[in-house]
Amino acid sequence: MSGAAIPGLPPPRPIPLKDRSSIIFIEKGNIDVLDGAFVVVDKNGVRTHIPIGGLACLVLEPGARISHAAVALASRAGTLIVWVGEAGVRLYAAGQPGGARSDRLLYQARLALDNDARLKVVRKMFAMRFGEAAPERRSVDQLRGIEGVRVRKLYELIAQRHGVAWKRRDYDPRAFDTGDIPNRCLSAATSCLYGLAETAVLAAGYAPAVGFLHTGKPLSFVYDVADIFKFETVVPEAFRISGQALRGQLKDNPISAVRRACRDIFRRTALLERLIPSIEEMLAAGEIVPPEAPPDAQAPAFPDPEPMGDAGHRG
């Protein structure tokens, strides 16, 4: 049905990301487009309007169902849709990141490829993580080493606080069950945090693989972002629950208990809502002017389909 009119009113021109609300979670209900409006219909048939063009990200938890028309409208409005576990504990799939904001990807790449800008971003990440300025005249590799020493010490201190005998961080992703209880709990907890951080990175229109302190992995930037919040959120919960398990005080499976604890602390601290502003703050430290609006911001909301070439690709 190429060129067919889409029912209802066309969406307004995309709103710049900086002017949008960050996140809305939908746990239960059917999401559809009715009379041109993006709505959630609950089990009693009650409609709730969602201002989809004013959101950076729509997060669908278990129990939510979405129609093709709703996905298409969100895409045209430049709003990311992600499918997650309860409270964002797992990220299963994502739609069009950041409304296909290539200018934000280029901005991120410029920061990562400029040695001076990258160092400034890494120094800002260090300050946000530890609450103090990074040591002067240190390279990225040197700051990585300093951070590693501090992280190992933090693991020891938090483990001691919760009565856990701690050796070292030792985790083989190919043999999860071979790790001891503290390491398995930590792995489960950080995995939950990475899912939430990836949601925020995608919602803001950035690439998970283009990192600054971490490099060379598909989720390098996700690790950069998550590490800033790791020791105020999931690490203490992982050690608390592993301590209970080691003392025989936990009736439930410790991994399941860790995931529920992460879910609860994400909600209690409104972490997802804090992540996107934190991403913008750390990148701004690179002192490269960020993009204000998509290059095609003046284009019609529903442009005519491009002609197809003979080979079936866009002409």
Side-chain angles (χ1 to χ4, degrees):
M1 296 179 63
S2 176
I6 295 179
L9 298 174
R13 296 183 187 280
I15 298 171
L17 189 69
K18 65 183 179 65
D19 296 329
R20 300 186 183 205
S21 300
S22 56
I23 303 288
I24 281 185
F25 280 81
I26 297 179
E27 183 179 3
K28 293 181 175 66
N30 295 320
I31 305 162
D32 205 346
V33 177
L34 300 175
D35 300 324
F38 196 98
V39 298
V40 180
V41 183
D42 67 16
K43 64 181 181 180
N44 297 317
V46 176
R47 301 182 185 183
T48 301
H49 175 245
I50 302 293
I52 193 66
L55 297 176
C57 182
L58 183 70
V59 182
L60 305 185
E61 294 187 83
R65 296 183 178 183
I66 188 166
S67 71
H68 183 280
V71 172
L73 181 56
S75 176
R76 291 172 185 272
T79 300
L80 173 70
I81 300 176
V82 293
W83 286 259
V84 301
E86 191 175 0
V89 165
R90 285 285 185 276
L91 187 146
Y92 299 121
Q96 190 177 54
R101 289 289 302 275
S102 61
D103 56 334
R104 287 189 172 269
L105 299 179
L106 292 172
Y107 168 59
Q108 181 185 10
R110 286 181 62 198
L111 288 166
L113 293 172
D114 185 303
N115 289 334
D116 290 338
R118 180 188 172 201
L119 179 57
K120 290 174 182 176
V121 172
V122 170
R123 288 181 58 83
K124 181 64 174 180
M125 290 163 49
F126 186 102
M128 293 172 71
R129 184 170 192 178
F130 297 112
E132 61 183 78
E136 297 290 342
R137 295 184 294 277
R138 299 293 197 278
S139 67
V140 170
D141 287 339
Q142 289 171 327
L143 289 175
R144 186 183 294 114
I146 294 169
E147 182 182 28
V149 172
R150 290 199 177 195
V151 165
R152 288 191 290 273
K153 187 62 177 177
L154 282 170
Y155 278 136
E156 293 174 6
L157 291 173
I158 297 173
Q160 185 178 21
R161 185 185 310 155
H162 292 284
V164 174
W166 176 249
K167 299 176 182 178
R168 62 189 177 90
R169 188 74 173 102
D170 184 13
Y171 168 56
D172 182 354
R174 296 165 297 183
F176 179 80
D177 291 334
T178 62
D180 58 23
I181 288 179
N183 270 290
R184 279 184 283 155
C185 287
L186 277 171
S187 296
T190 54
S191 177
C192 293
L193 180 59
Y194 294 154
L196 200 74
E198 187 177 2
T199 300
V201 169
L202 291 171
Y206 296 112
V210 182
F212 295 85
L213 190 64
H214 295 84
T215 58
K217 296 189 176 182
L219 297 179
S220 292
F221 192 43
V222 172
Y223 301 150
D224 283 348
V225 173
D227 280 355
I228 292 173
F229 300 93
K230 181 182 293 184
F231 287 95
E232 71 171 81
T233 55
V234 300
V235 171
E237 292 300 302
F239 277 115
R240 179 180 65 83
I241 290 169
S242 61
Q244 292 176 347
L246 291 168
R247 292 189 294 271
Q249 299 171 342
L250 192 68
K251 297 180 180 179
D252 196 3
N253 179 287
I255 305 306
S256 298
V258 164
R259 289 171 178 164
R260 286 196 300 272
C262 291
R263 173 201 64 193
D264 294 341
I265 199 168
F266 293 160
R267 285 176 171 166
R268 188 165 63 249
T269 62
L271 182 57
L272 190 54
E273 296 177 9
R274 298 163 55 199
L275 282 169
I276 292 179
S278 297
I279 291 170
E280 304 296 351
E281 180 182 354
M282 72 176 71
L283 295 182
E287 298 180 355
I288 290 178
V289 178
E292 288 295 329
D296 58 350
Q298 301 305 313
F302 287 93
D304 292 332
E306 297 177 13
M308 301 295 286
D310 292 339
H313 299 291
R314 292 288 182 189

